[in-house]
mmCIF file of all heavy atoms in Angstrom:
data_model
loop_
_atom_site.group_PDB
_atom_site.id
_atom_site.type_symbol
_atom_site.label_atom_id
_atom_site.label_comp_id
_atom_site.label_asym_id
_atom_site.label_seq_id
_atom_site.Cartn_x
_atom_site.Cartn_y
_atom_site.Cartn_z
ATOM 1 N N PHE A 1 0.888 -1.161 -0.070
ATOM 2 C CA PHE A 1 0.043 -0.015 0.018
ATOM 3 C C PHE A 1 0.913 1.221 0.035
ATOM 4 O O PHE A 1 1.886 1.310 0.822
ATOM 5 C CB PHE A 1 -0.890 0.052 1.290
ATOM 6 C CG PHE A 1 -1.964 -0.870 1.272
ATOM 7 C CD1 PHE A 1 -2.310 -1.611 2.449
ATOM 8 C CD2 PHE A 1 -2.739 -1.175 0.203
ATOM 9 C CE1 PHE A 1 -3.378 -2.490 2.530
ATOM 10 C CE2 PHE A 1 -3.832 -1.987 0.238
ATOM 11 C CZ PHE A 1 -4.164 -2.688 1.329
ATOM 12 N N LEU A 2 0.518 2.285 -0.772
ATOM 13 C CA LEU A 2 1.220 3.555 -0.862
ATOM 14 C C LEU A 2 0.208 4.546 -0.455
ATOM 15 O O LEU A 2 -0.848 4.645 -1.140
ATOM 16 C CB LEU A 2 1.809 3.722 -2.249
ATOM 17 C CG LEU A 2 2.748 2.777 -2.798
ATOM 18 C CD1 LEU A 2 3.298 3.122 -4.141
ATOM 19 C CD2 LEU A 2 3.802 2.292 -1.878
ATOM 20 N N MET A 3 0.492 5.331 0.580
ATOM 21 C CA MET A 3 -0.417 6.502 0.924
ATOM 22 C C MET A 3 0.294 7.853 0.887
ATOM 23 O O MET A 3 1.250 7.984 1.628
ATOM 24 C CB MET A 3 -0.948 6.112 2.343
ATOM 25 C CG MET A 3 -1.760 4.785 2.408
ATOM 26 S SD MET A 3 -2.681 4.515 3.903
ATOM 27 C CE MET A 3 -3.285 2.971 3.658
ATOM 28 N N ASP A 4 -0.260 8.777 0.138
ATOM 29 C CA ASP A 4 0.321 10.049 0.028
ATOM 30 C C ASP A 4 -0.581 11.047 0.685
ATOM 31 O O ASP A 4 -1.473 11.682 0.086
ATOM 32 C CB ASP A 4 0.433 10.372 -1.602
ATOM 33 C CG ASP A 4 1.382 11.643 -1.747
ATOM 34 O OD1 ASP A 4 1.864 12.134 -0.798
ATOM 35 O OD2 ASP A 4 1.463 12.030 -2.914
ATOM 36 N N GLU A 5 -0.118 11.422 1.938
ATOM 37 C CA GLU A 5 -0.879 12.404 2.745
ATOM 38 C C GLU A 5 -2.355 12.234 2.614
ATOM 39 O O GLU A 5 -3.136 13.128 2.356
ATOM 40 C CB GLU A 5 -0.459 13.852 2.386
ATOM 41 C CG GLU A 5 1.040 13.997 2.369
ATOM 42 C CD GLU A 5 1.543 15.434 2.811
ATOM 43 O OE1 GLU A 5 0.791 16.003 3.656
ATOM 44 O OE2 GLU A 5 2.503 15.881 2.309
ATOM 45 N N PRO A 6 -2.813 11.007 2.950
ATOM 46 C CA PRO A 6 -4.250 10.758 2.724
ATOM 47 C C PRO A 6 -5.250 11.553 3.734
ATOM 48 O O PRO A 6 -6.488 11.614 3.558
ATOM 49 C CB PRO A 6 -4.427 9.187 3.012
ATOM 50 C CG PRO A 6 -3.278 8.952 3.921
ATOM 51 C CD PRO A 6 -2.148 9.829 3.523
ATOM 52 N N LEU A 7 -4.675 12.078 4.808
ATOM 53 C CA LEU A 7 -5.585 12.752 5.783
ATOM 54 C C LEU A 7 -5.545 14.278 5.738
ATOM 55 O O LEU A 7 -6.143 14.927 6.436
ATOM 56 C CB LEU A 7 -5.162 12.327 7.228
ATOM 57 C CG LEU A 7 -5.079 10.844 7.429
ATOM 58 C CD1 LEU A 7 -4.764 10.528 8.918
ATOM 59 C CD2 LEU A 7 -6.300 10.108 7.087
ATOM 60 N N SER A 8 -4.807 14.751 4.794
ATOM 61 C CA SER A 8 -4.548 16.310 4.780
ATOM 62 C C SER A 8 -5.834 17.073 4.493
ATOM 63 O O SER A 8 -5.858 18.237 4.753
ATOM 64 C CB SER A 8 -3.451 16.566 3.838
ATOM 65 O OG SER A 8 -3.861 16.239 2.564
ATOM 66 N N ASN A 9 -6.817 16.460 3.864
ATOM 67 C CA ASN A 9 -8.081 17.181 3.602
ATOM 68 C C ASN A 9 -9.172 17.118 4.656
ATOM 69 O O ASN A 9 -10.232 17.575 4.434
ATOM 70 C CB ASN A 9 -8.670 16.724 2.198
ATOM 71 C CG ASN A 9 -7.826 17.128 1.004
ATOM 72 O OD1 ASN A 9 -7.105 18.182 1.074
ATOM 73 N ND2 ASN A 9 -7.938 16.513 -0.049
ATOM 74 N N LEU A 10 -8.783 16.341 5.669
ATOM 75 C CA LEU A 10 -9.828 16.206 6.800
ATOM 76 C C LEU A 10 -9.695 17.241 7.959
ATOM 77 O O LEU A 10 -8.509 17.659 8.050
ATOM 78 C CB LEU A 10 -9.599 14.774 7.435
ATOM 79 C CG LEU A 10 -9.673 13.548 6.380
ATOM 80 C CD1 LEU A 10 -9.614 12.275 7.077
ATOM 81 C CD2 LEU A 10 -11.035 13.658 5.573
ATOM 82 N N ASP A 11 -10.664 17.435 8.722
ATOM 83 C CA ASP A 11 -10.490 18.392 9.779
ATOM 84 C C ASP A 11 -9.785 17.721 10.892
ATOM 85 O O ASP A 11 -9.596 16.523 10.906
ATOM 86 C CB ASP A 11 -11.920 18.909 10.240
ATOM 87 C CG ASP A 11 -12.858 17.774 10.715
ATOM 88 O OD1 ASP A 11 -12.337 16.989 11.628
ATOM 89 O OD2 ASP A 11 -13.933 17.625 10.241
ATOM 90 N N ALA A 12 -9.394 18.513 11.960
ATOM 91 C CA ALA A 12 -8.462 18.008 12.984
ATOM 92 C C ALA A 12 -8.995 16.807 13.781
ATOM 93 O O ALA A 12 -8.368 15.875 13.925
ATOM 94 C CB ALA A 12 -8.158 19.102 13.874
ATOM 95 N N LYS A 13 -10.274 16.855 14.090
ATOM 96 C CA LYS A 13 -10.883 15.769 14.839
ATOM 97 C C LYS A 13 -10.902 14.512 14.001
ATOM 98 O O LYS A 13 -10.652 13.393 14.510
ATOM 99 C CB LYS A 13 -12.263 16.169 15.331
ATOM 100 C CG LYS A 13 -12.934 15.009 16.226
ATOM 101 C CD LYS A 13 -14.296 15.499 16.673
ATOM 102 C CE LYS A 13 -15.038 14.457 17.483
ATOM 103 N NZ LYS A 13 -16.361 14.767 17.934
ATOM 104 N N LEU A 14 -11.272 14.643 12.751
ATOM 105 C CA LEU A 14 -11.367 13.463 11.844
ATOM 106 C C LEU A 14 -10.089 12.904 11.548
ATOM 107 O O LEU A 14 -9.946 11.629 11.303
ATOM 108 C CB LEU A 14 -12.175 13.910 10.554
ATOM 109 C CG LEU A 14 -12.739 12.761 9.782
ATOM 110 C CD1 LEU A 14 -13.664 11.831 10.613
ATOM 111 C CD2 LEU A 14 -13.608 13.321 8.636
ATOM 112 N N ARG A 15 -9.041 13.711 11.461
ATOM 113 C CA ARG A 15 -7.694 13.254 11.266
ATOM 114 C C ARG A 15 -7.266 12.390 12.279
ATOM 115 O O ARG A 15 -6.683 11.278 12.002
ATOM 116 C CB ARG A 15 -6.710 14.494 11.139
ATOM 117 C CG ARG A 15 -6.758 15.182 9.874
ATOM 118 C CD ARG A 15 -5.776 16.434 9.920
ATOM 119 N NE ARG A 15 -4.408 15.961 9.956
ATOM 120 C CZ ARG A 15 -3.609 16.268 8.947
ATOM 121 N NH1 ARG A 15 -3.990 16.813 7.883
ATOM 122 N NH2 ARG A 15 -2.356 15.769 8.971
ATOM 123 N N VAL A 16 -7.487 12.711 13.530
ATOM 124 C CA VAL A 16 -7.073 11.862 14.718
ATOM 125 C C VAL A 16 -7.797 10.558 14.654
ATOM 126 O O VAL A 16 -7.202 9.460 14.791
ATOM 127 C CB VAL A 16 -7.380 12.572 16.049
ATOM 128 C CG1 VAL A 16 -7.126 11.722 17.264
ATOM 129 C CG2 VAL A 16 -6.452 13.854 16.139
ATOM 130 N N GLN A 17 -9.165 10.559 14.365
ATOM 131 C CA GLN A 17 -9.925 9.384 14.303
ATOM 132 C C GLN A 17 -9.485 8.413 13.170
ATOM 133 O O GLN A 17 -9.343 7.251 13.305
ATOM 134 C CB GLN A 17 -11.343 9.758 14.104
ATOM 135 C CG GLN A 17 -12.304 8.455 14.034
ATOM 136 C CD GLN A 17 -13.750 8.948 13.698
ATOM 137 O OE1 GLN A 17 -14.103 10.121 14.124
ATOM 138 N NE2 GLN A 17 -14.532 8.148 13.106
ATOM 139 N N THR A 18 -9.221 9.059 11.944
ATOM 140 C CA THR A 18 -8.939 8.254 10.817
ATOM 141 C C THR A 18 -7.528 7.688 10.836
ATOM 142 O O THR A 18 -7.294 6.585 10.419
ATOM 143 C CB THR A 18 -9.175 9.052 9.531
ATOM 144 O OG1 THR A 18 -10.419 9.693 9.562
ATOM 145 C CG2 THR A 18 -8.992 8.284 8.250
ATOM 146 N N ARG A 19 -6.636 8.420 11.453
ATOM 147 C CA ARG A 19 -5.239 7.819 11.489
ATOM 148 C C ARG A 19 -5.213 6.662 12.413
ATOM 149 O O ARG A 19 -4.423 5.685 12.103
ATOM 150 C CB ARG A 19 -4.198 8.939 11.959
ATOM 151 C CG ARG A 19 -4.242 9.378 13.448
ATOM 152 C CD ARG A 19 -3.296 10.509 13.699
ATOM 153 N NE ARG A 19 -3.236 10.804 15.123
ATOM 154 C CZ ARG A 19 -2.893 12.069 15.512
ATOM 155 N NH1 ARG A 19 -2.733 12.999 14.733
ATOM 156 N NH2 ARG A 19 -2.790 12.308 16.858
ATOM 157 N N THR A 20 -6.045 6.646 13.405
ATOM 158 C CA THR A 20 -6.077 5.445 14.266
ATOM 159 C C THR A 20 -6.688 4.310 13.389
ATOM 160 O O THR A 20 -6.232 3.136 13.657
ATOM 161 C CB THR A 20 -6.926 5.788 15.556
ATOM 162 O OG1 THR A 20 -6.436 6.868 16.283
ATOM 163 C CG2 THR A 20 -7.033 4.534 16.462
ATOM 164 N N GLN A 21 -7.721 4.565 12.709
ATOM 165 C CA GLN A 21 -8.403 3.602 11.894
ATOM 166 C C GLN A 21 -7.372 2.969 10.856
ATOM 167 O O GLN A 21 -7.334 1.683 10.705
ATOM 168 C CB GLN A 21 -9.521 4.029 11.209
ATOM 169 C CG GLN A 21 -10.733 4.404 12.106
ATOM 170 C CD GLN A 21 -11.850 5.131 11.404
ATOM 171 O OE1 GLN A 21 -11.670 5.711 10.318
ATOM 172 N NE2 GLN A 21 -13.005 5.085 12.069
ATOM 173 N N ILE A 22 -6.625 3.848 10.226
ATOM 174 C CA ILE A 22 -5.651 3.296 9.335
ATOM 175 C C ILE A 22 -4.471 2.456 9.934
ATOM 176 O O ILE A 22 -4.228 1.379 9.354
ATOM 177 C CB ILE A 22 -4.872 4.492 8.597
ATOM 178 C CG1 ILE A 22 -5.864 5.226 7.640
ATOM 179 C CG2 ILE A 22 -3.638 4.026 7.753
ATOM 180 C CD1 ILE A 22 -5.385 6.411 7.006
ATOM 181 N N ALA A 23 -4.029 2.836 11.080
ATOM 182 C CA ALA A 23 -2.937 2.087 11.901
ATOM 183 C C ALA A 23 -3.572 0.708 12.241
ATOM 184 O O ALA A 23 -2.922 -0.339 12.028
ATOM 185 C CB ALA A 23 -2.514 2.804 13.020
ATOM 186 N N VAL A 24 -4.737 0.710 12.759
ATOM 187 C CA VAL A 24 -5.459 -0.588 13.145
ATOM 188 C C VAL A 24 -5.613 -1.490 11.848
ATOM 189 O O VAL A 24 -5.350 -2.677 11.924
ATOM 190 C CB VAL A 24 -6.764 -0.313 13.877
ATOM 191 C CG1 VAL A 24 -7.463 -1.626 14.088
ATOM 192 C CG2 VAL A 24 -6.469 0.287 15.212
ATOM 193 N N LEU A 25 -6.095 -0.879 10.801
ATOM 194 C CA LEU A 25 -6.353 -1.701 9.658
ATOM 195 C C LEU A 25 -5.208 -2.226 9.018
ATOM 196 O O LEU A 25 -5.029 -3.284 8.661
ATOM 197 C CB LEU A 25 -7.071 -0.652 8.579
ATOM 198 C CG LEU A 25 -7.305 -1.300 7.184
ATOM 199 C CD1 LEU A 25 -8.318 -2.391 7.375
ATOM 200 C CD2 LEU A 25 -7.881 -0.176 6.213
ATOM 201 N N GLN A 26 -4.006 -1.444 9.009
ATOM 202 C CA GLN A 26 -2.817 -1.997 8.482
ATOM 203 C C GLN A 26 -2.276 -3.147 9.230
ATOM 204 O O GLN A 26 -1.835 -4.177 8.712
ATOM 205 C CB GLN A 26 -1.689 -0.866 8.466
ATOM 206 C CG GLN A 26 -0.438 -1.224 7.598
ATOM 207 C CD GLN A 26 0.560 -1.992 8.467
ATOM 208 O OE1 GLN A 26 0.647 -1.906 9.729
ATOM 209 N NE2 GLN A 26 1.459 -2.716 7.724
ATOM 210 N N ARG A 27 -2.402 -3.115 10.588
ATOM 211 C CA ARG A 27 -1.918 -4.250 11.422
ATOM 212 C C ARG A 27 -2.848 -5.465 11.214
ATOM 213 O O ARG A 27 -2.334 -6.572 11.260
ATOM 214 C CB ARG A 27 -1.865 -3.755 12.859
ATOM 215 C CG ARG A 27 -0.722 -2.994 13.172
ATOM 216 C CD ARG A 27 -0.818 -2.061 14.439
ATOM 217 N NE ARG A 27 0.312 -1.323 14.764
ATOM 218 C CZ ARG A 27 0.662 -0.211 14.096
ATOM 219 N NH1 ARG A 27 -0.087 0.218 13.082
ATOM 220 N NH2 ARG A 27 1.785 0.430 14.429
ATOM 221 N N ARG A 28 -4.139 -5.205 10.951
ATOM 222 C CA ARG A 28 -5.059 -6.248 10.705
ATOM 223 C C ARG A 28 -4.788 -6.983 9.401
ATOM 224 O O ARG A 28 -4.712 -8.176 9.348
ATOM 225 C CB ARG A 28 -6.520 -5.766 10.841
ATOM 226 C CG ARG A 28 -7.524 -6.703 10.368
ATOM 227 C CD ARG A 28 -8.932 -6.153 10.541
ATOM 228 N NE ARG A 28 -9.908 -7.214 10.159
ATOM 229 C CZ ARG A 28 -11.275 -6.816 10.272
ATOM 230 N NH1 ARG A 28 -11.659 -5.653 10.611
ATOM 231 N NH2 ARG A 28 -12.157 -7.806 9.913
ATOM 232 N N LEU A 29 -4.465 -6.260 8.368
ATOM 233 C CA LEU A 29 -4.214 -6.807 6.991
ATOM 234 C C LEU A 29 -2.769 -7.310 6.901
ATOM 235 O O LEU A 29 -2.528 -8.234 6.098
ATOM 236 C CB LEU A 29 -4.462 -5.756 5.955
ATOM 237 C CG LEU A 29 -5.983 -5.204 5.838
ATOM 238 C CD1 LEU A 29 -5.987 -4.095 4.808
ATOM 239 C CD2 LEU A 29 -6.896 -6.364 5.465
ATOM 240 N N GLY A 30 -1.956 -6.674 7.643
ATOM 241 C CA GLY A 30 -0.503 -7.056 7.618
ATOM 242 C C GLY A 30 0.215 -6.738 6.224
ATOM 243 O O GLY A 30 1.325 -7.294 5.909
ATOM 244 N N THR A 31 -0.365 -5.712 5.461
ATOM 245 C CA THR A 31 0.299 -5.414 4.142
ATOM 246 C C THR A 31 1.310 -4.417 4.325
ATOM 247 O O THR A 31 1.132 -3.371 5.078
ATOM 248 C CB THR A 31 -0.826 -4.824 3.228
ATOM 249 O OG1 THR A 31 -1.838 -5.858 3.092
ATOM 250 C CG2 THR A 31 -0.377 -4.597 1.813
ATOM 251 N N THR A 32 2.458 -4.635 3.722
ATOM 252 C CA THR A 32 3.493 -3.574 3.682
ATOM 253 C C THR A 32 2.928 -2.267 3.316
ATOM 254 O O THR A 32 2.238 -2.137 2.274
ATOM 255 C CB THR A 32 4.630 -3.980 2.834
ATOM 256 O OG1 THR A 32 5.100 -5.350 3.105
ATOM 257 C CG2 THR A 32 5.890 -3.084 2.920
ATOM 258 N N THR A 33 3.263 -1.202 4.055
ATOM 259 C CA THR A 33 2.650 0.174 3.794
ATOM 260 C C THR A 33 3.708 1.180 3.931
ATOM 261 O O THR A 33 4.462 1.272 4.834
ATOM 262 C CB THR A 33 1.548 0.370 4.835
ATOM 263 O OG1 THR A 33 0.511 -0.531 4.772
ATOM 264 C CG2 THR A 33 0.899 1.847 4.573
ATOM 265 N N VAL A 34 3.743 1.977 2.835
ATOM 266 C CA VAL A 34 4.586 3.278 2.920
ATOM 267 C C VAL A 34 3.721 4.480 2.902
ATOM 268 O O VAL A 34 2.935 4.623 2.025
ATOM 269 C CB VAL A 34 5.578 3.289 1.571
ATOM 270 C CG1 VAL A 34 6.454 4.393 1.731
ATOM 271 C CG2 VAL A 34 6.306 1.922 1.510
ATOM 272 N N TYR A 35 3.861 5.256 3.926
ATOM 273 C CA TYR A 35 2.984 6.370 4.119
ATOM 274 C C TYR A 35 3.665 7.744 4.174
ATOM 275 O O TYR A 35 4.732 7.805 4.866
ATOM 276 C CB TYR A 35 2.255 6.151 5.506
ATOM 277 C CG TYR A 35 1.127 7.062 5.957
ATOM 278 C CD1 TYR A 35 -0.169 6.633 5.835
ATOM 279 C CD2 TYR A 35 1.404 8.357 6.512
ATOM 280 C CE1 TYR A 35 -1.235 7.548 6.244
ATOM 281 C CE2 TYR A 35 0.373 9.142 6.839
ATOM 282 C CZ TYR A 35 -0.856 8.705 6.750
ATOM 283 O OH TYR A 35 -1.916 9.560 7.217
ATOM 284 N N VAL A 36 3.290 8.688 3.407
ATOM 285 C CA VAL A 36 3.846 9.956 3.365
ATOM 286 C C VAL A 36 3.110 11.032 4.137
ATOM 287 O O VAL A 36 1.908 11.092 4.053
ATOM 288 C CB VAL A 36 4.035 10.413 1.894
ATOM 289 C CG1 VAL A 36 4.304 11.876 1.805
ATOM 290 C CG2 VAL A 36 5.175 9.528 1.253
ATOM 291 N N THR A 37 3.783 11.764 4.992
ATOM 292 C CA THR A 37 3.154 12.993 5.676
ATOM 293 C C THR A 37 4.188 13.979 6.052
ATOM 294 O O THR A 37 5.363 13.701 6.179
ATOM 295 C CB THR A 37 2.419 12.493 7.018
ATOM 296 O OG1 THR A 37 1.798 13.533 7.620
ATOM 297 C CG2 THR A 37 3.409 11.798 7.943
ATOM 298 N N HIS A 38 3.688 15.237 6.186
ATOM 299 C CA HIS A 38 4.612 16.270 6.701
ATOM 300 C C HIS A 38 4.344 16.488 8.202
ATOM 301 O O HIS A 38 4.951 17.307 8.846
ATOM 302 C CB HIS A 38 4.335 17.587 5.955
ATOM 303 C CG HIS A 38 2.962 18.215 6.111
ATOM 304 N ND1 HIS A 38 1.858 17.755 5.378
ATOM 305 C CD2 HIS A 38 2.535 19.031 7.037
ATOM 306 C CE1 HIS A 38 0.847 18.391 5.805
ATOM 307 N NE2 HIS A 38 1.151 19.212 6.830
ATOM 308 N N ASP A 39 3.243 15.839 8.717
ATOM 309 C CA ASP A 39 2.831 15.949 10.057
ATOM 310 C C ASP A 39 3.561 15.123 10.976
ATOM 311 O O ASP A 39 3.356 13.812 10.972
ATOM 312 C CB ASP A 39 1.397 15.799 10.173
ATOM 313 C CG ASP A 39 0.744 16.000 11.494
ATOM 314 O OD1 ASP A 39 1.392 15.968 12.521
ATOM 315 O OD2 ASP A 39 -0.447 16.394 11.652
ATOM 316 N N GLN A 40 4.481 15.560 11.765
ATOM 317 C CA GLN A 40 5.334 14.695 12.560
ATOM 318 C C GLN A 40 4.618 13.991 13.699
ATOM 319 O O GLN A 40 4.820 12.889 14.168
ATOM 320 C CB GLN A 40 6.596 15.384 13.042
ATOM 321 C CG GLN A 40 6.365 16.713 13.764
ATOM 322 C CD GLN A 40 6.059 16.524 15.180
ATOM 323 O OE1 GLN A 40 6.486 15.609 15.907
ATOM 324 N NE2 GLN A 40 5.265 17.521 15.843
ATOM 325 N N VAL A 41 3.430 14.618 14.164
ATOM 326 C CA VAL A 41 2.630 13.930 15.173
ATOM 327 C C VAL A 41 2.005 12.802 14.519
ATOM 328 O O VAL A 41 1.906 11.652 15.155
ATOM 329 C CB VAL A 41 1.618 14.916 15.736
ATOM 330 C CG1 VAL A 41 0.592 14.195 16.662
ATOM 331 C CG2 VAL A 41 2.261 16.092 16.460
#
């Protein structure tokens, strides 16, 4: 999976919620993932 700043268009609250969902989903699927972001948090 390649993800290019997929959360940058979401509002702050939704970003927090969705980043957790992505992390959980990746661990569930076990697929190698390369994720790009400028947000160090």
Side-chain angles (χ1 to χ4, degrees):
F1 286 138
L2 308 181
M3 300 189 182
D4 190 5
E5 305 214 37
L7 307 184
S8 60
N9 287 337
L10 305 182
D11 62 52
K13 181 178 179 180
L14 198 53
R15 281 177 71 113
V16 174
Q17 177 185 336
T18 308
R19 76 187 184 205
T20 302
Q21 292 173 340
I22 290 176
V24 170
L25 177 64
Q26 192 275 336
R27 283 158 179 76
R28 178 176 175 181
L29 297 174
T31 306
T32 307
T33 300
V34 186
Y35 186 102
V36 163
T37 182
H38 66 275
D39 185 332
Q40 50 88 28
V41 174

